[in-house]
């Protein structure tokens, strides 16, 4: 039985529209494993005291209008079918057998894109090729502060997917994101999307990852649906329960068209349904202390072999059972550990000996999940081909760097707080008046 908890009101320009988009209260997944994100994520949070996220709804009419979640019910083949919907379970999409399914490997990184994370990221993919001869690619979920947008555009030009990781990201605390309002999520997500488009020419933005993997529940999902870009997927929700084939089975990505069966280990998790929004579950690893960790830098390891072993053990579980996508996630801090990077690079190189392993981005993995075809026909699968040209990149020597003080104001002083570099900025006069921020993605208000 479902209970109507609230009636949502949406403000548009000078009129108020009544929208029957209430919250439906039901138990969505198992909260018994709920815990602090520290178990899965290396926090190192820094709170920026200079600015606050805009908490009020932005004025003016939004297009398209508000999304109304639908009441959630159990998922079945009767109410859910590809390419638009998949139930949350361990079933291979399209009813394919294990022998017909490729083993998808997705490498992801989140937070700021700078010279260190850029070069470290590219080193992971050096000499990696897919069975069809195309270069291996992954997904970088980019936040704003400390990001160099020339490097973002360069990653995109090399075929990597760029995702949204909010404007302020880890400059805020974990609790800030845990309790963030829908308005806060909407500003953080949509304004970062605007910044990525303006300063890195990212026009095909499909996915989102929450800072610290700390989901915002229904507030976050509603914000994803109500932003202008209408993001297709979230890749933040951690699962312990569905991380071993010997337990409840390895969980495949699924859509929020119906009730999710995934465990909720870092509340809040969505309770309503969001047709067309997909979840890419973060299945945990087990480190040398037999503790779960969702990002590699949160896994305890003493040698490069420890990293190789925890990756290998999880991979074999995927490959020999239902071949659910094998997700490898990390923060830039991981790339500063020489022995950990060595372990990961050795593992990725080892995977090239498997003829059914494909290294693709989250978005490209989802392309196959929505339209699954047998491995024998993958050479003709258009989304995984590399024949189409990647977006161009400008010459680095043409760039101009803009500097800003702690109040986001343009400065020429030798000491500065923020810097902005982009192919969209080739002359000093191209610099925005202010450092772009939440509520001011164009950099005009300071």
């Amino acid at each position: 039985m479902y209970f109507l908890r609230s009636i949502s009101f949406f403000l548009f320009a000078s009129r108020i529209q009544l929208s029957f988009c209430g919250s439906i209260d039901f138990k969505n997944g198992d909260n018994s494993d709920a815990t602090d994100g520290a178990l899965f994520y290396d926090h190192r949070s820094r709170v920026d005291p200079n600015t606050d996220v805009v908490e009020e709804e932005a004025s003016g009419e939004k297009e398209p209008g508000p999304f109304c979640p639908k009441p959630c019910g159990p998922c079945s083949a009767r109410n859910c079918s590809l390419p638009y919907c998949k139930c949350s379970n361990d079933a291979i999409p399209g009813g394919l057998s294990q022998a017909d399914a490729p083993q998808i490997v997705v490498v992801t990184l989140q937070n700021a894109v700078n010279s260190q994370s850029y070069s470290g990221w590219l080193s992971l993919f050096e000499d990696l090729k897919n069975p069809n001869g195309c270069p291996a690619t992954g997904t970088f979920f980019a936040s704003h502060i400390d990001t160099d947008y020339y490097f973002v555009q360069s990653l995109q030009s090399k075929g990597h997917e760029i995702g949204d990781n909010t404007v302020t990201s880890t400059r805020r605390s974990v609790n800030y994101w845990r309790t963030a309002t829908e308005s806060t999520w909407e500003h953080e997500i949509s304004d970062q999307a605007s910044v990525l488009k303006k300063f890195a020419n990212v026009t095909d933005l499909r996915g989102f990852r929450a800072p610290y993997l700390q989901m915002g529940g229904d507030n976050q999902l509603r914000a994803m649906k109500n932003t202008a870009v209408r993001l297709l997927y979230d890749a933040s929700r951690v699962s312990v329960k569905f991380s071993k084939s010997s337990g409840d089975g390895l969980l495949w990505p699924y859509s929020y068209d119906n009730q999710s069966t995934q465990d909720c280990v870092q509340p809040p998790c969505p309770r309503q349904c969001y047709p067309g929004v997909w979840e890419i579950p973060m299945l945990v690893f087990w480190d040398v202390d037999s503790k779960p960790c969702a990002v590699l830098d949160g896994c305890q390891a003493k040698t490069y072999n420890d990293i190789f072993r925890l990756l290998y053990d999880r991979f074999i579980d995927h490959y020999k059972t239902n071949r659910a996508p094998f997700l490898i996630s990390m923060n830039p801090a991981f790339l500063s550990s020489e022995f950990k990077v060595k372990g990961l690079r050795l593992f990725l190189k080892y995977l090239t000996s498997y003829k059914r392993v494909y290294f693709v981005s989250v978005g490209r993995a989802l392309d196959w999940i929505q339209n699954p075809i047998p491995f024998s026909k993958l050479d003709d699968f258009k989304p995984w081909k590399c024949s189409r040209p990647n977006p161009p990149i400008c010459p680095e020597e043409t760039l101009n760097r803009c500097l800003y003080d702690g109040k986001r104001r343009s400065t020429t002083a030798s000491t500065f707080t923020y810097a902005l570099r982009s192919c969209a900025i080739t002359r000093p006069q191209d610099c925005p008046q202010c450092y772009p921020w939440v509520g001011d993605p164009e950099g005009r208000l300071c």
Side-chain angles (χ1 to χ4, degrees):
M1 180 179 295
Y2 307 110
F3 298 90
L4 185 64
R5 295 174 55 192
S6 63
I7 296 178
S8 301
F9 291 86
F10 294 88
L11 180 60
F12 290 95
S14 61
R15 69 185 188 277
I16 297 178
Q17 292 183 336
L18 181 62
S19 176
F20 294 93
C21 301
S23 298
I24 306 301
D25 188 14
F26 63 86
K27 185 175 179 62
N28 186 7
D30 180 7
N31 289 338
S32 61
D33 292 323
T35 184
D36 191 291
L39 181 62
F40 306 101
Y41 198 98
D42 186 10
H43 285 180
R44 296 190 178 92
S45 60
R46 308 181 303 279
V47 179
D48 186 347
N50 296 316
T51 58
D52 291 312
V53 171
V54 179
E55 292 292 344
E56 298 300 323
E57 289 287 354
S59 61
E61 186 170 350
K62 300 175 184 177
E63 292 294 344
F67 167 76
C68 298
K70 73 182 183 74
C72 270
C75 189
S76 71
R78 295 188 301 275
N79 60 15
C80 182
S81 61
L82 296 173
Y84 305 109
C85 176
K86 185 185 184 303
C87 297
S88 54
N89 55 36
D90 62 352
I92 299 175
L96 296 180
S97 66
Q98 182 213 55
D100 281 335
Q103 178 59 67
I104 295 171
V105 175
V106 181
V107 183
T108 69
L109 186 66
Q110 56 268 349
N111 297 347
V113 184
N114 51 40
S115 59
Q116 290 78 26
S117 60
Y118 172 79
S119 59
W121 172 260
L122 291 183
S123 72
L124 297 178
F125 295 88
E126 190 174 339
D127 299 325
L128 292 183
K129 296 281 188 180
N130 284 317
N132 63 358
C134 293
T137 58
T139 300
F140 201 127
F141 295 95
S143 57
H144 171 56
I145 303 171
D146 297 331
T147 281
D148 185 319
Y149 288 96
Y150 169 77
F151 290 132
V152 175
Q153 192 163 346
S154 180
L155 287 175
Q156 186 176 231
S157 74
K158 296 178 186 299
H160 297 283
E161 178 187 22
I162 302 300
D164 192 323
N165 187 232
T166 74
V167 174
T168 60
S169 190
T170 54
R171 290 298 181 101
R172 305 288 182 180
S173 68
V174 178
N175 189 60
Y176 178 89
W177 295 110
R178 183 185 295 123
T179 58
T181 64
E182 180 183 341
S183 175
T184 296
W185 280 109
E186 188 167 341
H187 281 291
E188 286 275 6
I189 293 171
S190 63
D191 289 351
Q192 177 61 358
S194 297
V195 170
L196 287 168
K197 181 178 180 180
K198 180 176 178 62
F199 296 106
N201 197 31
V202 178
T203 56
D204 184 23
L205 192 65
R206 304 174 69 188
F208 175 75
R209 174 165 286 166
Y212 309 107
L213 307 182
Q214 178 56 64
M215 288 196 75
D218 290 301
N219 285 342
Q220 177 198 323
L221 269 291
R222 279 196 296 269
M224 287 175 60
K225 289 290 288 189
N226 284 330
T227 57
V229 289
R230 295 279 178 125
L231 294 170
L232 177 64
Y233 71 82
D234 172 78
S236 314
R237 188 168 176 174
V238 177
S239 176
V240 175
K241 182 179 179 181
F242 295 98
S243 294
K244 286 184 177 180
S245 63
S246 59
D248 291 273
L250 297 166
L251 189 62
W252 273 82
Y254 61 91
S255 66
Y256 280 109
D257 291 68
N258 299 283
Q259 183 174 344
S260 170
T261 60
Q262 183 179 347
D263 45 335
C264 182
V265 298
Q266 289 182 220
C269 294
R271 290 178 176 271
Q272 296 174 332
C273 282
Y274 301 86
V277 176
W278 290 71
E279 184 63 53
I280 314 299
M282 298 280 293
L283 308 188
V284 299
F285 300 98
W286 276 266
D287 63 18
V288 293
D289 295 328
S290 299
K291 293 183 178 179
C293 48
V295 291
L296 287 184
D297 38 305
C299 301
Q300 293 298 314
K302 298 178 181 178
T303 68
Y304 74 86
N305 192 56
D306 290 338
I307 294 294
F308 185 96
R309 173 53 63 176
L310 70 86
L311 289 165
Y312 174 82
D313 289 345
R314 262 282 313 282
F315 170 78
I316 290 299
D317 199 19
H318 284 243
Y319 190 78
K320 290 188 174 181
T321 58
N322 70 342
R323 297 198 176 161
F326 184 67
L327 197 65
I328 302 173
S329 301
M330 70 203 84
N331 298 298
F334 176 87
L335 299 173
S336 64
S337 172
E338 186 175 343
F339 81 86
K340 289 183 177 181
V341 170
K342 179 181 179 181
L344 175 56
R345 290 191 64 183
L346 285 172
F347 175 73
L348 295 176
K349 191 67 175 177
Y350 164 75
L351 290 185
T352 60
S353 65
Y354 288 81
K355 301 307 179 185
R356 293 178 180 270
V357 166
Y358 273 80
F359 301 94
V360 296
S361 65
V362 178
R364 294 293 171 242
L366 197 52
D367 286 335
W368 185 88
I369 292 167
Q370 292 178 305
N371 301 278
I373 63 172
F375 175 82
S376 60
K377 298 181 179 179
L378 273 181
D379 285 345
D380 297 323
F381 188 54
K382 190 173 181 179
W384 288 9
K385 288 185 176 183
C386 50
S387 56
R388 57 184 178 183
N390 291 321
I393 183 69
C394 64
E396 188 171 5
E397 59 271 16
T398 65
L399 302 179
N400 183 78
R401 191 168 70 148
C402 312
L403 305 179
Y404 302 88
D405 63 20
K407 294 185 178 180
R408 303 193 297 115
R409 298 174 301 195
S410 181
T411 182
T412 57
S414 58
T415 58
F416 56 91
T417 304
Y418 306 111
L420 185 65
R421 198 171 73 135
S422 161
C423 285
I425 303 170
T426 58
R427 303 170 301 170
Q429 55 265 41
D430 294 332
C431 291
Q433 178 182 346
C434 316
Y435 186 66
W437 204 258
V438 185
D440 184 26
E442 297 286 333
R444 298 172 179 172
L445 307 172
C446 59

